Amino acid sequence: MDIQRIISLVKETQGIIKNRTMAARVKEKGIADYVTQVDLEVQNFLKKALYTLAPDTQFLGEETGLHNIEADSYWILDPVDGTTNLIHDYQHSVVSLALCRKKEIVAGIVYDPFHDELFSAVKGEGSMLNGKPIHVSAAKSLSETIIGIGTAKRENATENFARFLKVYEHSQDIRRIGSAALELAYVACGRQGGYFEGYLNPWDYAAGMLIVQEAGGIVSDWNGNELDPAHGNHIAGTNGQIHKELLNLLS
């Protein structure tokens, strides 16, 4: 696998994502769940390019939904993670692409076209930001760091905000970027000590999970179990040292 070739393909989406005309073409999939012409164009571009690169590798994307994957290898793509941000020109939206082989994520890319930051990881080779090695925060407790949060499903707002309060009271502060993949990338490079969200689909967390792990951190469900990248789950990603402390507050 030529990770640099894949990185180059992902970076070619910058012009599409920053196209405000396409971002204004919005359809509502559900409550606070949107898709724009940008999402569709990025997915179509990468699906075609990746098929040319690896015709035997199947494809799982947000705009195609979860379906039975029969092959040992498949791409997991979120063409725009942070679509609501994109609609409002909030400029915190990313492309998230992972490669799964035999139920294990072996490569991950999270690309922020607005700040031209590309986070990447290959299994066993560490994590990078624009080609330079990155590592998780050295914080040993929640009180030494900030924690990213995700609001997840609106019907669980009461329970979610009760958890946010508990984490806020034990940490330096909390942050909400509005993109799960970018939150995990920020954990990987040490900008925040951890991140959690009530429910994420595989395309939301797959790439970011590997990038955190290869940067020295831990990503699990809220019970501390390993994640199956073929399924959605409650997610917690940290620098490792504060993982148990955060999970105790989420239970």
Side-chain angles (χ1 to χ4, degrees), residues 3 7 108-110 118-122 126-131 134 211:
I3 187 67
I7 286 172
I109 295 170
V110 172
L118 192 139
F119 302 83
S120 63
V122 174
S127 294
M128 305 284 181
L129 168 54
N130 291 344
I134 54 174
I211 294 170

Side-chain angles (χ1 to χ4, degrees), residues 4 7 117-122 124-137 185 187-191 211-212 214-216:
Q4 294 305 319
I7 286 172
E117 290 191 326
L118 192 139
F119 302 83
S120 63
V122 174
E125 297 182 13
S127 294
M128 305 284 181
L129 168 54
N130 291 344
K132 296 181 179 180
I134 54 174
H135 200 273
V136 293
S137 162
V187 173
C189 69
R191 293 176 185 169
I211 294 170
V212 170
E214 287 294 315

Side-chain angles (χ1 to χ4, degrees), residues 4-223:
Q4 294 305 319
R5 174 60 178 147
I6 301 169
I7 286 172
S8 295
L9 288 174
V10 172
K11 294 192 74 171
E12 285 184 41
T13 65
Q14 184 180 48
I16 302 173
I17 296 173
K18 296 176 78 171
N19 186 313
R20 293 305 302 157
T21 300
M22 286 196 289
R25 297 173 185 165
V26 182
K27 292 183 180 180
E28 188 169 359
K29 297 188 292 184
I31 298 174
D33 188 9
Y34 307 97
V35 60
T36 72
Q37 189 64 32
V38 172
D39 298 73
L40 300 175
E41 292 289 337
V42 169
Q43 176 155 295
N44 290 339
F45 169 78
L46 286 176
K47 187 173 183 179
K48 182 178 179 180
L50 292 170
Y51 179 77
T52 300
L53 193 65
D56 295 330
T57 304
Q58 289 191 347
F59 189 86
L60 172 61
E62 179 177 8
E63 306 315 330
T64 58
L66 286 166
H67 58 279
N68 292 328
I69 297 293
E70 299 174 354
D72 285 339
S73 298
Y74 56 94
W75 303 103
I76 304 175
L77 172 68
D78 193 343
V80 179
D81 187 43
T83 298
T84 303
N85 286 348
L86 184 71
I87 292 169
H88 295 280
D89 198 22
Y90 197 65
Q91 300 195 359
H92 286 87
S93 304
V94 300
V95 180
S96 176
L97 177 67
L99 178 60
C100 185
R101 286 181 179 157
K102 297 181 179 179
K103 298 185 178 181
E104 181 180 50
I105 304 300
V106 296
I109 295 170
V110 172
Y111 176 49
D112 176 355
F114 297 99
H115 302 92
D116 200 26
E117 290 191 326
L118 192 139
F119 302 83
S120 63
V122 174
K123 185 73 175 179
E125 297 182 13
S127 294
M128 305 284 181
L129 168 54
N130 291 344
K132 296 181 179 180
I134 54 174
H135 200 273
V136 293
S137 162
K140 296 181 179 179
S141 69
L142 288 174
S143 63
E144 297 177 6
T145 189
I146 58 177
I147 300 296
I149 63 172
T151 49
K153 297 182 178 180
R154 284 183 175 240
E155 58 265 33
N156 298 326
T158 300
E159 295 88 346
N160 285 333
F161 277 82
R163 291 188 182 95
F164 300 158
L165 178 59
K166 286 198 293 184
V167 173
Y168 173 74
E169 289 174 336
H170 286 79
S171 65
Q172 285 187 352
D173 209 336
I174 57 176
R175 295 287 186 272
R176 169 155 164 73
I177 299 173
S179 163
L182 191 57
E183 296 273 13
L184 288 168
Y186 281 11
V187 173
C189 69
R191 293 176 185 169
Q192 53 193 28
Y195 159 74
F196 69 95
E197 186 152 0
Y199 183 87
L200 294 175
N201 285 301
W203 46 81
D204 299 313
Y205 72 79
M209 175 176 70
L210 180 65
I211 294 170
V212 170
Q213 291 169 338
E214 287 294 315
I218 296 175
V219 182
S220 73
D221 69 13
W222 287 4
N223 294 315

